[in-house]
Amino acid sequence: MKTEKRIFNLESRFETREDGSESVAGYGAVFNSRSENLGGFFEYISPDAITSETIEKSDVRALINHDQNLVLARSTSGTLKLDVDEKGLKYEFDIPETSYGKDLAINMKNGNISQSSFAFIVASNGDEWSTDENGNDIRTITKIERLYDISPVVYPAYSQAESDLVVAQRSLAKYKEQKENEKEEKDLVMRSLAKLKIEIAKRK
């Protein structure tokens, strides 16, 4: 089980309250949203993949660019609020009075940082593979076992470095192997039927 990361091109909302406190809210993941090409396949997250139970059993941090040294909030401390709605995984936190927290606030005000990402582990048998009408391999994540962090990020694409796609690539390889085995079995049956028809024709 290896942590995967996905980045969404979604606007995170920065807000300054009347009391002067500053907060960030957005979506760390969006359901039924097709990814960019992730190295030979496309991906969707099912609306059932993340539930309230998933959130409750996860100790989730809000980080900057997934950097564990830049902690903004944490779900178990109550400083990070997480929820699931029909759109996806929502998050909200107050920006802490730290140097990097203030830097984040400035960058978000200026529009330099506006996208979100999340780190997660897919449950055992928690993804399904299919092939669409255009021949593209499609991965649908149906169950996420654990959430690790929610991060405002600099880069906007819903894609990630190859090192973060190891689990998905292995799953894709298994799916392709299964498809190949099914094709070979089908070809074997067809050849057997053809041979049988020839034998029957000879006996006639």
Side-chain angles (χ1 to χ4, degrees), residues 24 60 80 84 97 103 108 112 117-118 120 157 178 192 203:
V24 176
V60 189
L80 172 63
V84 178
E97 289 293 321
D103 290 341
M108 294 197 74
N112 297 331
S117 176
F118 80 118
F120 60 97
Q178 180 181 346
S192 297
R203 291 176 184 178

Side-chain angles (χ1 to χ4, degrees), residues 27-174:
Y27 283 86
V30 177
F31 301 138
N32 293 327
S33 175
R34 176 168 161 152
S35 73
E36 294 181 354
N37 191 316
L38 297 176
F41 69 96
F42 297 88
E43 188 176 80
Y44 292 87
I45 298 177
S46 165
D48 299 322
I50 305 173
T51 63
S52 298
E53 181 184 358
T54 312
I55 294 172
E56 289 171 5
K57 67 180 181 181
S58 301
D59 185 3
V60 189
R61 278 78 163 174
L63 308 174
I64 300 176
N65 287 326
H66 297 289
D67 189 334
Q68 62 184 2
N69 297 306
L70 303 177
V71 182
L72 299 163
R74 185 175 180 177
S75 61
T76 54
S77 71
T79 53
L80 172 63
K81 297 176 183 177
L82 296 171
D83 194 15
V84 178
D85 63 16
E86 65 281 356
K87 184 176 180 178
L89 175 65
K90 293 172 59 178
Y91 70 87
E92 183 175 0
F93 62 87
D94 290 344
I95 293 179
E97 289 293 321
T98 60
S99 58
Y100 55 83
K102 294 174 182 176
D103 290 341
L104 174 67
I106 293 171
N107 278 309
M108 294 197 74
K109 286 177 184 177
N110 294 337
N112 297 331
I113 296 178
S114 60
Q115 279 75 33
S116 299
S117 176
F118 80 118
F120 60 97
I121 283 183
V122 174
S124 177
N125 301 316
D127 62 355
E128 297 175 352
W129 288 90
S130 59
T131 304
D132 67 15
E133 63 276 9
N134 296 317
N136 298 310
D137 291 318
I138 305 295
R139 183 196 194 198
T140 302
I141 296 176
T142 58
K143 180 67 175 176
I144 287 178
E145 179 68 26
R146 193 172 298 275
L147 301 167
Y148 277 92
D149 68 73
I150 300 289
S151 295
V153 292
V154 173
Y155 296 103
Y158 178 177
S159 60
Q160 197 64 35
E162 186 176 346
S163 60
D164 291 323
L165 295 171
V166 172
V167 175
Q169 294 287 1
R170 287 175 182 166
S171 186
L172 174 59
K174 187 181 294 185

